[in-house]
Amino acid sequence: MRLRELETYKKIMVQCHDNPDADALASGFGLYRYFGSKGICVSLIYSGPFRIQKSNLVLMVDELKIPVEYVEQNEFTPLTEDELLITVDCQYGAGNVTKLPASNVAVIDHHQLEVEKLPLMFMDASCGSCSTIVWRLLLQEGFDANRDEELATALYYGLYTDTNQLGEIYNPYDKDMRDELQFDQSIIMRLKNSNFSLSELEIAGIALIRCIYNEANRYAVVKAEPCDPNILGMISDLMLQVNTVDTCVVYSNLTDGIKMSVRSCIKEVRADELARFLTKGIGTGGGHIVKAGGFISRHCYDEHYQKVSLETYFSQRLDEYFAGFDIVYAKDREADISGMQKYKKCRVPLGFVKSSSILPVGTPVLIRTLKGDVDASVSDDIYIMIGTLGEVYPISREIFERSYDVTGASYRIDIDYSPTIKDMRSGRSHSLMQSAYECVEKNETQVYAKPITKAVKVFPLWDDDRYMLGKKEDYLAVRADDLNDIFVVEKDIFDRSYERLEENES
Ligand SMILES: [Mn+2]
């Protein structure tokens, strides 16, 4: 999706998520200024139970003249056929944004996809901020944010606040934006130092006086009086820095539900997964690996847990969470294959592309992989593999030639997201599918596998930092020729890709 495709609408409303943060405001502001420059009637709005009150956000809105308006859900006039609603830093229909009635909706976001795919969507979960995505979309249309210092400052601050003060930047686009934006230094300095009001500091202080601490699982639970959800985030950021705390939940009990902030600094617990676990069936939760949040609806909570205090709820659920999974570090031990059956992997054709068939040798490129985006340089020795689900990863020519046979056919798969290779010099993306050919593995892979009966987190040989979560009924598998090569296969993929071997075949 490009911004110019959206210019046909008569009126555009850009909506930030409820409780907008600096990133939502900045990205919305970018779109506001862009469509405004095209003479389109545009407005920037947000809804939800709270008005913006956090001191740095009030300052940001005032200083950078961000024309954001609050709208009441039940007073909202539905958008008509020739009007468009764009949600930024959130997805239309997700739990953190009020669903406003509109016939046409576009989504621009940097979180994991959590709703049905829409035709008008620009998502990139590898970006540290939504501001970065908007900055890219603006550049694509020749709109340079540096011509507008207020906008440049807002985008910079959006990235700053969403990446733990620029400390968690991995994506090259984030780096580019950080390096290229010409922002107002004095405003950024004031924003950095306006995080709390005195009364919010008091709320944080009181909250921190007492916490529930679980020594066995090294988690902490903290209750805060009702406050801006961003304050919860700051309390949890502080909690996480305590030497004996690995995981924490900070919550506040509001009239319509319970707002929470979740943090984890250990690789064995993903904050987004924990937030989903704590809100399962009674609310929504999600976010990133280290930082996440969630909301439990009052109505659902009372229906299921009316007699349970919140303190008890969180402690019990956290205990259930920690007791509910086993951990396997593949590199530390061989799999116990007792109780496992032997299977062979069906030789499903895969796709491959010679990188130098798309771009000249030496071009710096960004290849999107399952793990994130990787930088590479086009070379005759780099091939790009394409899996059956459209997942992409680079492979050296030498390993390729050793492991695969080329069939000569073109590679065709039916997928939503067509993988691309991005020329980092021109910023242009090229489809990989057009140049993809088919190959099959030379050798048959045999594995031992069994259905999972208790959730397991497997740190596979090839990734020490990120676990594969195996849920009940998925399969725990290990290569027959390397009992350390342990991994998880989702049930339906397993059923499709593996065939049971009879005893005499193995
Ligand atoms: Mn964001």
Side-chain angles (χ1 to χ4, degrees):
M1 186 187 84
R2 290 187 58 149
L3 292 182
R4 76 162 56 140
E5 292 167 36
L6 308 180
E7 287 167 27
T8 51
Y9 294 94
K10 234 179 163 169
K11 186 174 145 192
I12 295 180
M13 272 201 173
V14 182
Q15 185 187 7
C16 305
H17 52 75
D18 301 356
N19 304 307
D21 57 10
D23 184 39
L25 290 168
S27 22
F29 188 38
L31 296 178
Y32 176 89
R33 284 276 162 102
Y34 174 79
F35 289 116
S37 79
K38 300 289 169 190
I40 295 167
C41 171
V42 55
S43 53
L44 178 60
I45 57 162
Y46 73 101
S47 185
F50 311 101
R51 308 283 181 117
I52 294 174
Q53 50 175 328
K54 207 170 157 280
S55 35
N56 61 327
L57 299 179
V58 171
L59 184 69
M60 176 186 182
V61 166
D62 288 349
E63 285 289 330
L64 304 176
K65 306 185 192 70
I66 300 178
V68 67
E69 298 165 61
Y70 176 80
V71 301
E72 204 78 65
Q73 186 177 14
N74 42 24
E75 286 165 16
F76 184 79
T77 322
L79 293 188
T80 57
E81 274 303 317
D82 49 5
E83 299 174 335
L84 174 72
L85 182 75
I86 309 177
T87 67
V88 280
D89 199 30
C90 62
Q91 296 156 39
Y92 188 73
N96 63 343
V97 55
T98 301
K99 195 170 182 176
L100 299 174
S103 342
N104 307 295
V105 176
V107 168
I108 298 176
D109 190 23
H110 70 126
H111 295 90
Q112 296 292 343
L113 185 67
E114 52 174 317
V115 299
E116 289 272 303
K117 252 180 169 258
L118 296 173
L120 293 178
M121 218 171 206
F122 193 97
M123 308 276 296
D124 186 346
S126 68
C127 274
S129 73
C130 190
S131 300
T132 314
I133 297 181
V134 167
W135 177 75
R136 276 160 64 181
L137 290 169
L138 295 180
L139 274 185
Q140 202 179 26
E141 307 303 348
F143 187 97
D144 183 0
N146 282 336
R147 285 186 311 207
D148 179 342
E149 197 180 45
E150 283 156 358
L151 176 58
T153 308
L155 293 171
Y156 183 85
Y157 190 58
L159 178 67
Y160 178 87
T161 51
D162 255 31
T163 56
N164 202 3
Q165 310 181 4
L166 305 178
E168 292 164 9
I169 286 190
Y170 309 108
N171 182 290
Y173 285 112
D174 291 330
K175 294 177 190 164
D176 285 350
M177 182 170 92
R178 176 197 62 195
D179 298 343
E180 286 175 32
L181 281 177
Q182 293 158 14
F183 54 88
D184 183 324
Q185 304 246 17
S186 64
I187 292 184
I188 289 292
M189 183 57 86
R190 282 179 61 202
L191 287 171
K192 284 181 186 175
N193 291 294
S194 309
N195 264 339
F196 286 117
S197 67
L198 278 174
S199 59
E200 284 169 334
L201 186 68
E202 196 173 303
I203 290 175
I206 292 170
L208 286 163
I209 287 175
R210 208 184 133 258
C211 75
I212 297 172
Y213 178 66
N214 180 295
E215 212 174 314
N217 294 314
R218 296 170 59 94
Y219 70 72
V221 178
V222 173
K223 180 188 179 181
E225 288 307 307
C227 58
D228 186 297
N230 297 291
I231 302 298
L232 292 183
M234 287 191 206
I235 300 172
S236 56
D237 284 340
L238 198 59
M239 242 4 256
L240 200 65
Q241 293 178 51
V242 174
N243 59 348
T244 51
V245 172
D246 292 341
T247 304
C248 73
V249 176
V250 180
Y251 68 93
S252 83
N253 193 5
L254 310 170
T255 0
D256 60 337
I258 302 112
K259 181 80 196 144
M260 77 181 83
S261 168
V262 179
R263 296 287 184 270
S264 167
C265 61
I266 46 167
K267 64 180 186 178
E268 286 78 7
V269 175
R270 290 181 58 134
D272 54 346
E273 186 209 318
L274 178 59
R276 273 192 293 276
F277 178 87
L278 292 172
T279 54
K280 196 173 172 193
I282 51 174
T284 50
H288 298 276
I289 295 176
V290 174
K291 298 183 177 207
F295 187 77
I296 294 174
S297 102
R298 163 75 42 218
H299 171 76
C300 294
Y301 186 85
D302 289 349
E303 212 172 79
H304 291 82
Y305 302 97
Q306 207 182 6
K307 300 226 160 62
V308 184
S309 77
L310 283 168
E311 286 183 353
T312 311
Y313 173 79
F314 282 115
S315 309
Q316 280 180 356
R317 288 291 281 162
L318 281 158
D319 289 339
E320 274 171 44
Y321 178 81
F322 283 100
F325 61 83
D326 292 327
I327 300 181
V328 172
Y329 301 94
K331 75 171 174 24
D332 293 347
R333 67 154 209 220
E334 293 196 337
D336 169 15
I337 57 167
S338 60
M340 287 185 161
Q341 306 286 346
K342 207 167 193 188
Y343 294 82
K344 70 171 182 189
K345 192 174 177 193
C346 311
R347 273 188 264 184
V348 192
L350 298 173
F352 77 98
V353 178
K354 296 180 180 176
S355 63
S356 55
S357 71
I358 300 182
L359 289 161
V361 169
T363 312
V365 289
L366 186 80
I367 304 169
R368 183 138 307 155
T369 78
L370 267 185
K371 251 184 93 176
D373 291 349
V374 293
D375 296 308
S377 181
V378 171
S379 140
D380 287 329
D381 291 325
I382 297 284
Y383 287 14
I384 299 156
M385 298 293 299
I386 305 170
T388 48
L389 300 172
E391 71 274 23
V392 164
Y393 48 95
I395 183 173
S396 76
R397 176 178 172 175
E398 192 202 325
I399 296 180
F400 178 85
E401 285 173 352
R402 212 188 316 139
S403 322
Y404 296 94
D405 284 323
V406 175
T407 67
S410 293
Y411 186 59
R412 295 283 165 264
I413 40 169
D414 189 22
I415 39 164
D416 286 347
Y417 167 74
S418 185
T420 56
I421 180 170
K422 201 160 281 171
D423 181 338
M424 294 302 283
R425 283 190 190 137
S426 68
R428 278 189 52 202
S429 290
H430 301 266
S431 163
L432 285 175
M433 293 309 292
Q434 282 163 8
S435 320
Y437 288 93
E438 198 180 86
C439 62
V440 285
E441 263 180 286
K442 280 193 170 141
N443 301 316
E444 181 181 278
T445 307
Q446 296 195 350
V447 302
Y448 293 103
K450 66 173 178 194
I452 291 168
T453 48
K454 177 183 176 188
V456 60
K457 298 179 176 183
V458 176
F459 289 91
L461 277 186
W462 64 85
D463 196 338
D464 246 359
D465 300 320
R466 220 183 257 218
Y467 55 79
M468 306 174 82
L469 178 66
K471 297 189 285 282
K472 262 186 195 164
E473 294 186 345
D474 290 340
Y475 279 78
L476 185 68
V478 57
R479 275 182 79 114
D481 58 0
D482 182 355
L483 294 183
N484 278 108
D485 196 347
I486 306 169
F487 54 100
V488 168
V489 187
E490 272 176 49
K491 184 187 183 328
D492 53 333
I493 297 182
F494 190 87
D495 292 343
R496 233 183 306 139
S497 331
Y498 290 85
E499 220 172 274
R500 174 88 181 271
L501 284 172
E502 297 305 326
E503 287 304 317
N504 51 7
E505 279 184 78
S506 54

